[in-house]
Amino acid sequence: MGMTLAQKIIRAHLVSGEMKVGSEIGLRIDQTLTQDATGTMAYLQFEAIGTEQVKTELSVAYVDHNTLQAGFENADDHAYLRTVAARHGVRFSRPGNGICHQVHLERFGVPGKTLIGSDSHTPTAGGLGMMGFGAGGLDVAVAMGGGAYYITMPRIIGVELTGHLRPLVGAKDIILEVLRRLSVKGGVGAVVEYYGEGVGTLSVPQRATITNMGAELGATTSLFPSDEVTRAFLAAEGREEDFRPLSPDPDAVYDETLSIDLSALSPLAACPHSPDNVKTVESLAGMRVDQICIGSCTNSSMQDMLTVAAILKGKTVAPHVSLSISPGSKQVYTMLAACGALTDLIDAGARVLECACGPCIGMGFSPNSGGISLRTFNRNFEGRSGTRDAQVYLVSPETAAASAIAGVLTDPTTLGEAPKITLPAHFFINDNLITMPASPEDAPKVEVLRGPNIKPIPVGKVPAETLVAPLILKVGDNITTDHIMPAGAKILPYRSNVPKLSEFCFTVCDPDFPERAKKAGGGIVVGGSNYGQGSSREHAALVPLYLGVKAVVAKSFARIHCANLVNFGIVPLTFRDPADYEKLSEGDTLELKDFRQAVAAGDTVMLFDRTNGAEIPLTLAFTKRQREILLAGGLLNRTREENH
Ligand code: MIC
Ligand code: SF4
């Protein structure tokens, strides 16, 4: 039986387990990346593990998230990252060099290799035929130390692309169509693999827009083949030697398939507050908009920026609209300047920002109260923009640019002729903002700088014999890590200061949660389905751990968050019968008898609600490895035990 491309790359990197859908496999990791908002924790953990030099082929530490320096915290963290990277064999991408996923695609991604990153959009690399996974910082730390990365062997969803996009319809519209069909849960447990004659019509950055937002499907990762388009991209980056052709076998068998005729697609928009709440732009056209943001790791390539510049050239942004543009990397930014397109953007009234995540993570540019913001980003979760009652719509750069001029949501295909853009055959290459690490001989002499904002990491505890704890919070379906541990310009500076961060935990759902949790000395959280979707931030586990959360009971969990809970010794439990969710109320006292025994070996544990007498069976779906981690009080404890 033929294999899909994902299966081939997995087979080539398999270090443990069986390639049977649903069973745990361990993968050898060739490259790692971190970004600053998750990187400080990742390197603190790497230091705690005690490995001197990274054992990967390549590891890069990026600074792209916490770039507004409204106090000393972010700058201190940057200095820590710069020095800890130099000390341990990690390349350092300085602030100003760009967004991790865009820069990694340009300068480091290699078809057929594996990459894990402490950021959920690491699957962007799938646009190059590289298998990228988002992971918690601790998993990245372990991989930097040469350890395997564990996932559940995914099923493969094959997406066949036929035809070609009409002018002014973008790659964003393709992935919004996939999201419309599959939903934010549709990719859970799966790799989404693209194939078919339509693939060859898409550039690498367009493919990367699509694989990037596979994260919003809940997918383990997404993948495109590596073909002549990939070769041309790598050649333009001066790295043709990294090219190798990769494709699925002609008789590859997919577990599920769907087919998209690119020629039939029209511009789409994901409406508030979920990336799968997709409607046609045509059906929403005419809606007044207040703000438009173009950029983010999803849509900030040279191709995107040139398209936007061509649409804006000679025009003016509507008087009531504020337009921000963040190019994805220094490479894109300098090329825009060199070809004059930057002038067109500035002249039209765009507020051009530095090449970083910026508004995507609420690092500035929050909309006005109740404001309508169109964004070319990948997430429109409630409150993420920094304005709680803002209404965020996710759209293509084409739609964003057309709407910026009109001042109302506008279908770009109604503009007439598509502007012609020409991409340079050779990109501008200057890696001067990537600092090489010290040599292994000089590394011990590097002083690692730690500012006062860096506080110790909380350590997990072993599960109680019998757990008796209050139900301190009950939430609904699709709770994101932005609900659990909000981000934004005010909170992100505390990513290496868990005690301070804890003041904001779950405040999007309930402003009193941190106080209540502290008073109760911790407890149990109950959630609905797809609990913990979204980002890879392990702070969504670390901070609840700090507040004393012992277990989370949910209908189902998102992959990365579930792994993070286990890594920090918080036990994720699922309802055997989802209807039992209704039987539990906030404030109830819950009892889990023989809890430790169940974590060690059981597949079921009975939850007894002492307040109303309900008895509810819960499932523990853990592998032997995960049970060992939980019994050790977390992965850090276990890895240290193994190393000493
Ligand atoms: C995000 O897009 O939510 C982030 C910010 O990039 C996160 C990482 C983080 O919380 O630092 C992600 O996607 O993993
Ligand atoms: Fe940065 Fe936004 Fe991409 Fe996250 S989704 S890495 S915040 S640009």
Side-chain angles (χ1 to χ4, degrees):
M1 196 170 73
M3 288 184 120
T4 73
L5 178 54
Q7 290 164 343
K8 290 184 191 181
I9 300 179
I10 289 174
R11 186 181 54 187
H13 290 83
L14 194 69
V15 292
S16 70
E18 229 187 292
M19 288 177 59
K20 217 174 73 209
V21 175
S23 65
E24 187 175 79
I25 52 171
L27 296 178
R28 180 170 47 77
I29 296 303
D30 302 318
Q31 299 186 354
T32 64
L33 70 80
T34 55
Q35 42 91 336
D36 49 338
T38 53
T40 46
M41 280 297 155
Y43 294 105
L44 286 169
Q45 293 169 136
F46 181 78
E47 289 182 298
I49 293 169
T51 311
E52 270 310 315
Q53 291 286 301
V54 291
K55 297 191 175 138
T56 45
E57 290 174 13
L58 175 94
S59 288
V60 189
Y62 292 91
V63 175
D64 52 3
H65 282 64
N66 288 346
T67 53
L68 270 190
Q69 289 150 232
F72 64 90
E73 294 87 354
N74 293 343
D76 278 8
D77 282 357
H78 300 171
Y80 169 67
L81 291 167
R82 175 170 51 79
T83 50
V84 81
R87 174 81 174 70
H88 295 288
V90 177
R91 293 184 201 196
F92 179 67
S93 172
R94 291 163 58 179
N97 198 40
I99 306 174
C100 56
H101 308 303
Q102 175 68 24
V103 177
H104 211 84
L105 196 74
E106 291 167 358
R107 306 305 306 140
F108 300 117
V110 177
K113 299 251 178 198
T114 53
L115 164 74
I116 68 169
S118 60
D119 193 281
S120 63
H121 289 105
T122 307
T124 311
L128 267 180
M130 177 179 214
M131 209 163 189
F133 305 95
L138 183 48
D139 282 327
V140 176
V142 168
M144 286 191 289
Y149 178 58
Y150 294 89
I151 56 166
T152 304
M153 178 64 201
R155 60 184 211 289
I156 314 291
I157 302 177
V159 179
E160 186 190 16
L161 302 178
T162 58
H164 54 83
L165 289 173
R166 288 186 294 135
L168 295 164
V169 181
K172 180 68 136 230
D173 301 312
I174 303 176
I175 186 63
L176 288 176
E177 172 65 10
V178 181
L179 272 154
R180 190 183 70 78
R181 294 205 208 170
L182 292 182
S183 91
V184 291
K185 291 183 247 180
V188 172
V191 169
V192 184
E193 205 177 304
Y194 294 83
Y195 67 97
E197 64 176 84
V199 164
T201 67
L202 300 173
S203 67
V204 166
Q206 286 181 307
R207 296 173 186 185
T209 295
I210 295 167
T211 54
N212 173 287
M213 281 190 76
E216 277 54 68
L217 293 164
T220 306
T221 191
S222 302
L223 205 56
F224 270 84
S226 169
D227 56 12
E228 284 310 307
V229 175
T230 321
R231 183 204 290 276
F233 176 82
L234 288 169
E237 287 288 348
R239 314 198 276 125
E240 199 173 346
E241 70 281 2
D242 287 338
F243 173 73
R244 50 193 269 234
L246 294 169
S247 54
D249 290 330
D251 57 344
V253 179
Y254 300 91
D255 297 293
E256 262 169 65
T257 50
L258 59 126
S259 182
I260 297 180
D261 176 4
L262 301 181
S263 323
L265 278 185
S266 358
L268 297 170
C271 304
H273 297 287
S274 185
D276 61 358
N277 188 11
V278 175
K279 302 206 168 96
T280 60
V281 170
E282 191 188 2
S283 69
L284 302 162
M287 179 180 70
R288 184 187 154 100
V289 297
D290 299 293
Q291 181 197 63
I292 299 180
C293 302
I294 299 177
S296 95
C297 58
T298 331
N299 275 116
S300 59
S301 67
M302 186 61 179
Q303 185 171 358
D304 287 332
M305 294 292 147
L306 282 182
T307 305
V308 169
I311 295 173
L312 292 181
K313 189 178 168 78
K315 310 266 175 28
T316 303
V317 173
H320 65 279
V321 170
S322 195
L323 168 68
S324 80
I325 297 186
S326 329
S329 66
K330 177 170 81 87
Q331 182 182 75
V332 171
Y333 218 153
T334 46
M335 291 197 297
L336 281 176
C339 74
L342 185 60
T343 312
D344 298 331
L345 297 176
I346 299 169
D347 192 48
R351 296 166 63 184
V352 186
L353 308 179
E354 68 175 317
C355 45
C357 301
C360 180
I361 191 57
M363 242 325 133
F365 231 83
S366 296
N368 53 309
S369 298
I372 295 189
S373 179
L374 303 185
R375 300 179 159 214
T376 67
F377 306 166
N378 44 34
R379 291 184 171 143
N380 58 347
F381 303 147
E382 197 173 357
R384 181 176 160 99
S385 65
T387 301
R388 209 167 158 175
D389 58 0
Q391 306 287 312
V392 177
Y393 292 74
L394 307 176
V395 297
S396 69
E398 292 84 347
T399 300
S403 307
I405 302 162
V408 293
L409 184 59
T410 302
D411 180 339
T413 60
T414 61
L415 290 183
E417 276 279 292
K420 288 245 161 339
I421 62 158
T422 322
L423 279 170
H426 295 285
F427 292 164
F428 182 74
I429 297 160
N430 183 358
D431 290 330
N432 60 336
L433 292 194
I434 298 196
T435 310
M436 294 303 280
S439 67
E441 300 75 56
D442 290 340
K445 291 183 233 144
V446 176
E447 187 197 351
V448 178
L449 303 173
R450 287 165 223 275
N453 190 40
I454 296 185
K455 297 280 187 279
I457 317 165
V459 180
K461 298 205 175 59
V462 299
E465 207 67 67
T466 286
L467 178 63
V468 180
L471 196 172
I472 42 171
L473 183 72
K474 185 175 176 187
V475 289
D477 288 344
N478 292 322
I479 285 295
T480 71
T481 52
D482 278 284
H483 289 102
I484 306 171
M485 200 51 258
K490 294 192 191 101
I491 307 177
L492 275 169
Y494 302 112
R495 278 294 181 87
S496 33
N497 183 345
V498 170
K500 180 72 188 170
L501 213 51
S502 72
E503 294 169 18
F504 306 97
C505 185
F506 270 122
T507 48
V508 182
C509 306
D510 177 352
D512 301 330
F513 176 77
E515 246 344 272
R516 197 169 61 244
K518 258 196 208 143
K519 247 199 214 129
I524 295 173
V525 170
V526 170
S529 61
N530 200 22
Y531 179 87
Q533 69 159 326
S535 91
S536 69
R537 64 191 71 149
E538 57 192 348
H539 304 77
L542 262 173
V543 174
L545 167 71
Y546 175 82
L547 289 172
V549 174
K550 310 279 185 304
V552 178
V553 182
K555 292 182 189 170
S556 66
F557 288 89
R559 178 184 75 87
I560 306 176
H561 184 59
C562 190
N564 286 339
L565 288 174
V566 171
N567 281 354
F568 292 101
I570 298 179
V571 185
L573 300 158
T574 42
F575 289 104
R576 174 166 293 178
D577 176 1
D580 284 339
Y581 168 88
E582 304 300 338
K583 296 182 183 156
L584 298 173
S585 311
E586 222 165 89
D588 290 359
T589 302
L590 308 180
E591 178 181 328
L592 290 153
K593 255 218 181 78
D594 299 324
F595 184 51
R596 189 179 312 163
Q597 195 41 42
V599 171
D603 48 20
T604 309
V605 64
M606 279 311 267
L607 180 144
F608 176 58
D609 187 328
R610 285 190 184 176
T611 309
N612 64 16
E615 287 198 34
I616 298 172
L618 303 177
T619 306
L620 302 100
F622 301 129
T623 63
K624 184 167 164 287
R625 188 188 65 88
Q626 289 171 318
R627 289 180 196 275
E628 283 168 15
I629 294 173
L630 287 168
L631 290 174
L635 179 59
L636 198 53
N637 292 343
R638 179 164 173 269
T639 310
R640 275 196 198 128
E641 280 166 17
E642 270 176 3
N643 285 5
H644 297 291

